[in-house]
Amino acid sequence: MTDSATQPATPPRSSDSATPSRAPSRTPPGEAPDSYAVPTLRRRLLSMVYESLLLFGVLFLAGYLFSALTQQRSGLMYRHAMQTWLFLVLGVYFVWFWTHGGQTLAMKTWKIRLVDAQGQPVRAGRAVLRYVLAWLWVLPAMALDWALGFTGWGSVGLLAGWVVLWALAMRVMPDHQFVHDRLAGTRLVSVLGK
C-alpha cells in the first residue's frame, strides 16, 4: 500500500528562494503556515505505535524504580501513587522532547515535528497543555466505560471506537490537525527532506 508522504496544509506558495519561507506573523492561530506540509494520518499513527514500543521501556524502568523505592509488594499497594508517578514520567518525557527540538525519537524516525501555530518551537507551557489534552484520546472512553460498567471486549470496542473517531476527526479539520493540537495551539508538520 502506498502512502503519500505529506498532505498540503494549504495551497503551496511560489517562492524564488531555495529555502522555504516562514509564514508572516499575521497568520492567525490555528491556521497553517503555507510553507509546512502536514504528515498523513498513516505516518502519525505509525509514529504513535513506535512511540508506544519505546515508552514500554521507559515506563517499565520508572515502575521498577517506584516499586524499589517504595518497597511495593503488590500491584494494588500504592496503586494511585504509582499511576500518578507514571503520568508525571510520561509528561516529563514528552514535554522535554517537544521543547528540545520538537521531536521524540519516534517522531524523528517518521520525520514529524511539533511546532506552535505560527511554526515556531513549542514552549514548555504549551507542551504541558498539549500533553494533558492528548489524554482526550482515551479518557472520555475510559470514563464512559466505567459509567456503563463494560468489561472485556465491550471495553476494548468502546476504546477502539473512540480512538478511531478521534483520529478521523482530523480529516474534517481545515488544517488536518488533531483536535488536541487545535486546542493546544500546536501542529504537527512534516520534515521530509530536511
Side-chain angles (χ1 to χ4, degrees):
M1 178 169 137
T2 60
D3 180 38
S4 63
T6 59
Q7 300 170 350
T10 56
R13 191 167 55 172
S14 64
S15 175
D16 295 335
S17 65
T19 59
S21 61
R22 296 271 178 181
S25 60
R26 67 178 185 274
T27 303
E31 293 297 319
D34 292 340
S35 62
Y36 294 107
V38 179
T40 62
L41 178 60
R42 179 176 182 259
R43 281 183 49 218
R44 294 182 207 194
L45 294 179
L46 288 172
S47 175
M48 288 167 39
V49 168
Y50 183 32
E51 194 80 67
S52 67
L53 294 174
L54 297 172
L55 286 174
F56 176 80
V58 171
L59 293 178
F60 177 82
L61 290 175
Y64 179 76
L65 179 65
F66 179 87
S67 296
L69 292 176
T70 61
Q71 298 295 308
Q72 186 180 25
R73 303 284 183 232
S74 162
L76 296 177
M77 187 176 173
Y78 309 125
R79 183 178 80 178
H80 298 298
M82 185 169 192
Q83 289 171 344
T84 303
W85 166 250
L86 295 177
F87 177 80
L88 292 173
V89 167
L90 280 176
V92 167
Y93 171 88
F94 282 114
V95 169
W96 172 263
F97 281 109
W98 290 338
T99 58
H100 291 82
Q103 296 175 294
T104 62
L105 180 59
M107 293 169 76
K108 285 180 183 179
T109 302
W110 287 96
K111 300 190 183 327
I112 298 170
R113 177 173 289 132
L114 181 71
V115 295
D116 69 10
Q118 287 76 36
Q120 301 300 313
V122 176
R123 295 184 182 263
R126 193 168 299 278
V128 169
L129 179 62
R130 184 182 194 265
Y131 172 71
V132 171
L133 290 173
W135 281 95
L136 293 174
W137 276 88
V138 294
L139 285 183
M142 290 172 65
L144 186 60
D145 176 61
W146 176 79
L148 297 177
F150 285 163
T151 59
W153 288 108
S155 294
V156 172
L158 180 65
L159 182 61
W162 177 258
V163 167
V164 167
L165 286 175
W166 190 263
L168 291 178
M170 66 154 289
R171 298 277 189 189
V172 298
M173 296 291 181
D175 58 356
H176 300 288
Q177 295 296 321
F178 289 130
V179 175
H180 64 277
D181 281 313
R182 299 257 321 171
L183 294 173
T186 59
R187 50 185 290 103
L188 294 173
V189 296
S190 181
V191 289
L192 287 174
K194 293 185 181 184

